[in-house]
Amino acid sequence: MQTSNPLQKVILLLEEQGYTDDQVGDICGSLTKNAFSMLYTKAVSDFLDEDFQAIEDCASDEEANKKIMDVYTLRTGQDPYADMHIYLKAFAQTFLNQQKTI
Amino acid sequence: MANAEKLQKRQDKLAAREARRESRNEAVRHGISRYIHNFNPKDKDAMWWTGAVVSAGLTGLTVATGGGSAWAKTAFVGGVSGGFYAAEKGIYTLRKKHIEKKYNDTELATKMKNLQTRHENGALRVQRLLMGVSAGAVYGGATGAAVEAGNAIINKSFELRFPTANEVKKGFEDLGNTPLKNIVTEPYGVAVDGINTVHELLTENLYEDVLTPIGHGFRDAWESEFVQSKIHTLVEFGNQVKDVAVDVTTNDFNTPEGVKRVADPVVTAIGGAAVTLFAADQVRRRNRRKTRRQTA
């Protein structure tokens, strides 16, 4: 299967190397863990105490979500989706390059 | 004949590929959901935060690809684990550069723990959203689905983990106000889709994935008079649904069996959902009382 998506390339490579669906699923779970770790540590280190208070004060979860996106972008310089894009691309490229050298 | 055979072969090949893709996507979704459901930051100390989040960048994939199992060792020989390690180490280094400008790991873990105490709801809201973003992006990237689609799936399952007291209340009110005839007279296909979704989200691995992370107080909550009385109410409710289902056989379904086929999962799903929410609410109330006593 042809794909230009870097993470899908990693997964196809894993399949070629005999990884089962469950193993691929576990790896995606770990990727999520690490990605969340990156985003949350960034938020905790950059958000101010009053940011958390303002998020807590939001009347609904929808309002809070919008507030978090705004604060994240303001404090860290880019929104979490952009961070995720960079993270996954960097991960996949480094992984694929490493495979070429092995 | 040859052309027909060729066409059939091609169709079989496409069907096999599609089945393979669906199976893989499902495994990816389960892998991500497992992590989300097992993540429970409530009442955790700084040491837990160090392990769970601060150091996760370096430990997560090492565990996934080199945790000591036979397959992981084989993979390591093949170099896959090495590739993951290198990729993750690079990411971790980048992340550390950003974080270390302000805090070391211990300071950061302490800050996370304190935030959880000082702004519990605010911290949970940030965690929930960022978990949804990361899970949605990984799911979208791994399966080729749009990020929004991934987010929707993951967020729905994640929402089950922290139902608020108001959500619990609303859940039961909705249950009481549900127009039963509408449930069972929906066009069959739509109803089945809806039921499957509810089933998947609310009753699949009810005990392991939803209730276990809520806390060890589950057994007490389950056995409490309050929850048991609600279960009784739900059983009664289920019987009503079945009665209504039999009454509407002439509308959208040809046979009573057809209606029953739809009504039974509805009863199971709604009952499962409501019981889950009530059990969760009990644990939440108990923990809140415990925290108040400790604070006092």
Side-chain angles (χ1 to χ4, degrees), chain B residues 135-150:
Chain B
V138 172
Y139 181 83
T143 63
V147 169
E148 293 74 21

Side-chain angles (χ1 to χ4, degrees), chain A residues 5 8 15 17 19 21 23 25-26 30 34 37 40-41 44 46 49 53 55-56 58 61 81 87 91, chain B residues 20 23-24 31 34 53 56 64 71 75 80 84 88 95 98 102 111 118-119 121-122 125 127 141 151:
Chain A
N5 176 325
Q8 278 191 303
E15 282 189 342
Q17 294 183 347
Y19 276 64
D21 284 351
Q23 288 163 350
D26 283 346
S30 294
N34 288 4
S37 153
Y40 190 59
T41 47
V44 168
D46 289 3
D49 211 49
Q53 187 60 54
I55 291 162
E56 198 155 76
C58 289
D61 283 347
Y81 287 107
Y87 169 80
F91 169 80
Chain B
R20 177 80 203 85
S23 156
R24 187 178 60 225
R34 258 199 307 279
V53 175
W71 71 265
V80 170
F84 269 118
E88 274 303 307
R95 185 168 69 84
H98 174 84
K102 294 180 180 178
K111 191 174 181 204
R118 226 172 31 245
H119 299 295
N121 199 29
R125 279 174 159 173
Q127 286 155 14
N151 271 343

Side-chain angles (χ1 to χ4, degrees), chain A residues 8-69:
Chain A
Q8 278 191 303
K9 281 184 184 168
V10 171
I11 288 172
L12 290 176
L13 186 67
L14 290 174
E15 282 189 342
E16 278 172 22
Q17 294 183 347
Y19 276 64
T20 65
D21 284 351
D22 282 348
Q23 288 163 350
V24 170
D26 283 346
I27 287 168
C28 287
S30 294
L31 260 184
T32 303
K33 178 179 182 172
N34 288 4
F36 170 72
S37 153
M38 175 193 71
L39 297 180
Y40 190 59
T41 47
K42 218 171 161 182
V44 168
S45 70
D46 289 3
F47 282 22
L48 305 177
D49 211 49
E50 47 263 41
D51 293 333
F52 276 96
Q53 187 60 54
I55 291 162
E56 198 155 76
D57 290 343
C58 289
S60 66
D61 283 347
E62 290 72 27
E63 195 187 318
N65 286 350
K66 192 177 175 314
K67 182 84 188 164
I68 296 164
M69 293 300 263

